[in-house]
Amino acid sequence: MNDDFQTSWSEPVSTQQGDTSTVQRPPVAAPLKQIVTIRLDVDMLKWFKAAGPGYQTRINQILREHMEAQQAERDAAQ
């Protein structure tokens, strides 16, 4: 569904309503992200959110670390 969705950061963005000047956003070096819906335990989500903004990034990082550890174990077993 989201494979067709790509932002165009090269498009100018107005800084204020009615402002005629534009700002160019820098190119994004991060990998593409996929929008998903995931059900998490309420207490766990509260814990991540309590640490402040960026909770989705922190969840992603923890999942990435787990994925990479699993891949390393699999590669070591081969």
Side-chain angles (χ1 to χ4, degrees):
M1 177 172 124
N2 291 320
D3 293 336
D4 296 330
F5 176 79
Q6 291 188 13
T7 58
S8 177
W9 299 117
S10 61
E11 294 177 11
V13 177
S14 177
T15 56
Q16 295 179 6
Q17 186 175 358
D19 188 0
T20 57
S21 64
T22 59
V23 175
Q24 294 289 331
R25 293 183 182 175
V28 177
L32 293 176
K33 302 280 183 164
Q34 175 72 41
I35 298 172
V36 297
T37 300
I38 184 170
R39 296 180 187 272
L40 302 172
D41 295 335
V42 173
D43 60 335
M44 185 176 64
L45 186 57
K46 283 182 182 180
W47 183 79
F48 274 101
K49 286 184 172 185
Y55 73 94
Q56 292 176 338
T57 301
R58 287 190 296 278
I59 292 170
N60 189 71
Q61 183 61 37
I62 289 169
L63 290 171
R64 175 167 297 284
E65 289 170 4
H66 179 73
M67 177 190 74
E68 290 172 351
Q70 293 293 311
Q71 288 173 334
E73 284 180 21
R74 184 194 65 218
D75 292 346
Q78 291 179 356

